[in-house]
Each structure stands twice: as structure tokens, then as C-alpha cells.
Amino acid sequence: DVKVTQSSRYLVKRTGEKVFLECVQDMDHENMFWYRQDPGLGLRLIYFSYDVKMKEKGDIPEGYSVSREKKERFSLILESASTNQTSMYLCASSHGAGTQYFGPGTRLLVL
Amino acid sequence: QKEVEQDPGPLSVPEGAIVSLNCTYSNSAFQYFMWYRQYSRKGPELLMYTYSSGNKEDGRFTAQVDKSSKYISLFIRDSQPSDSATYLCAMTAPGAGNMLTFGGGTRLMVKP
């Protein structure tokens, strides 16, 4: 079974802090994704990566950056957290144009 | 108008009922269709995947695709309280790379 793990289930940070969210997948998938999920807005793509050191902006990249130094690991960085970044963050991975497999999510609260 | 529309619900049914969840879409290029189930405070998990018009069955679940009407459905037979979750449809087109377009999700509650 594909396993996608995220570093934290719940996170509380203060405004202005730098926040790192990590995602690891164990199926050698080349594609990895970061989404945020908010009530009424559904899943919105922040960034995705189709190879090591490659990244592409999704629909809402502002305020976020990503890093993919190894194939299995994809990090989402909030350079200076703001209250409007309070959300559920979901990581996913896929092989080719196949289905995406999601991690359990990180609930981030920015105070 | 969103590319993929899905009634947010909540949809409340008694245990044992047949449930019908639906999505409509506007992009005729979509060829691959997925249903994900998401329990509260968890990540979505893949439930069904189909790429052709018609029906695909897996246990109590049936996915139906009608490309001519740009309409997909997920049917759940003999619904159980454990089916209570949010159901997300997702779809993609050939050449879209790895991008999925998601519906907003329908919240289903199955009451014992």
C-alpha cells in the first residue's frame, strides 16, 4: 500500500513564525503535491513537484514556498505565517498521471 | 462557474438506504474520474477510479460515468454509519499532466 506521511497532525504557530510542513512517501512516486483545504472552498493546490528539485506553482502559491531535495520528501514552507493561513494542509503523491494518494493532513492554527 | 460542481450537503440517510452522490463538470476533456472518501480530520482516501462511460462496481459501491451529460455518480448500497464521511469527486484530462480537478465534496451522514 502507498504510504504518505506528514510530519505533524496538529500545529499551533504564532503570526510571523516560519513554518515547515514535511511530507514523505514510500512508493517512489515522482509527483508530489501540497493542497490546503478550507470549508466551502474545497481542495486548492498550492504547489506541486514532478521531479527532484523541480516545482510548479498551483492555484494559490502566494505566501508559500516548497523544497524537494529528495524524491521521497516534499516540504512546504510558510515564510512568515499569517492568520489567514490557518487551514488543513494535505500532501499527496502520484505516479505518472495516475491517482493521487493523500497523507493524513496537518491542521495548522496560526495565532 | 466552477469546472466541477458537487452539492455540499449534508445528506442525511437512514442506515440501509441507497445513497446517490453526484458531480457535474463542464470540461469535456476530462476522461478519468475518481471518488475519494474523507473521514473527519483525516486525509482523502481513494475509493473508486474509472475512465470510461458506464458503471464500475466494487462491493457496495458503484461508480457511474455519463460523458455525454458530463455527469458522474457514486452509489452506495446498504449504507452503514461507517460510510458517514465527505465524498470528493476528482477528474483529469489526458495531457493535463498530474493535475486533478476536485469537486467541493458532499458530506454524508448515515444514521443508525
Side-chain angles (χ1 to χ4, degrees):
Chain A
D1 279 352
V2 176
K3 189 146 189 195
V4 180
T5 56
Q6 294 183 229
S7 50
S8 306
R9 293 300 307 275
Y10 301 95
L11 216 48
V12 180
K13 295 292 180 181
R14 297 211 174 270
T15 301
E17 278 193 79
K18 192 168 186 176
V19 182
F20 292 87
L21 302 181
E22 281 226 311
C23 175
V24 178
Q25 50 94 4
D26 67 356
M27 282 302 291
D28 203 36
H29 285 170
E30 60 269 28
N31 307 311
M32 296 188 76
F33 308 81
W34 274 107
Y35 295 88
R36 63 178 283 177
Q37 186 176 31
D38 302 286
L41 297 176
L43 279 160
R44 293 182 290 169
L45 182 65
I46 304 171
Y47 269 96
F48 69 99
S49 168
Y50 54 88
D51 202 352
V52 175
K53 296 193 187 294
M54 305 300 286
K55 62 183 179 185
E56 294 284 345
K57 292 180 180 179
D59 300 319
I60 51 163
E62 297 78 18
Y64 303 94
S65 62
V66 290
S67 172
R68 191 151 179 219
E69 296 297 316
K70 293 185 178 181
K71 191 175 185 180
E72 67 271 18
R73 193 178 297 268
F74 192 34
S75 301
L76 179 70
I77 303 148
L78 286 66
E79 296 290 343
S80 177
S82 63
T83 54
N84 62 12
Q85 292 179 308
T86 290
S87 187
M88 170 76 140
Y89 289 88
L90 290 161
C91 175
S93 72
S94 74
H95 170 62
T99 55
Q100 293 180 19
Y101 296 88
F102 285 85
T106 295
R107 282 200 171 272
L108 173 66
L109 173 62
V110 182
L111 299 173
Chain B
Q1 184 190 6
K2 292 180 183 177
E3 271 195 297
V4 180
E5 298 277 1
Q6 191 175 4
D7 189 327
L11 177 63
S12 182
V13 301
E15 183 175 355
I18 296 175
V19 175
S20 172
L21 303 166
N22 310 298
C23 286
T24 57
Y25 61 95
S26 56
N27 187 348
S28 58
F30 287 143
Q31 299 291 325
Y32 306 98
F33 305 92
M34 286 136 269
W35 284 97
Y36 286 85
R37 177 176 61 196
Q38 185 176 21
Y39 290 114
S40 181
R41 301 183 185 278
K42 300 279 180 68
E45 56 177 327
L46 182 68
L47 204 54
M48 299 280 285
Y49 172 86
T50 184
Y51 57 87
S52 58
S53 283
N55 293 352
K56 180 179 180 179
E57 196 172 313
D58 184 1
R60 295 185 296 111
F61 298 90
T62 300
Q64 186 177 80
V65 174
D66 183 347
K67 290 183 182 177
S68 62
S69 301
K70 299 193 186 71
Y71 189 89
I72 68 170
S73 298
L74 178 71
F75 298 98
I76 308 174
R77 287 187 302 280
D78 187 25
S79 56
Q80 303 294 310
S82 59
D83 295 326
S84 298
T86 295
Y87 290 80
L88 300 153
C89 64
M91 47 199 78
T92 188
N98 318 295
M99 309 301 292
L100 292 182
T101 301
F102 286 88
T106 299
R107 187 171 158 226
L108 171 67
M109 295 187 295
V110 181
K111 297 189 174 180

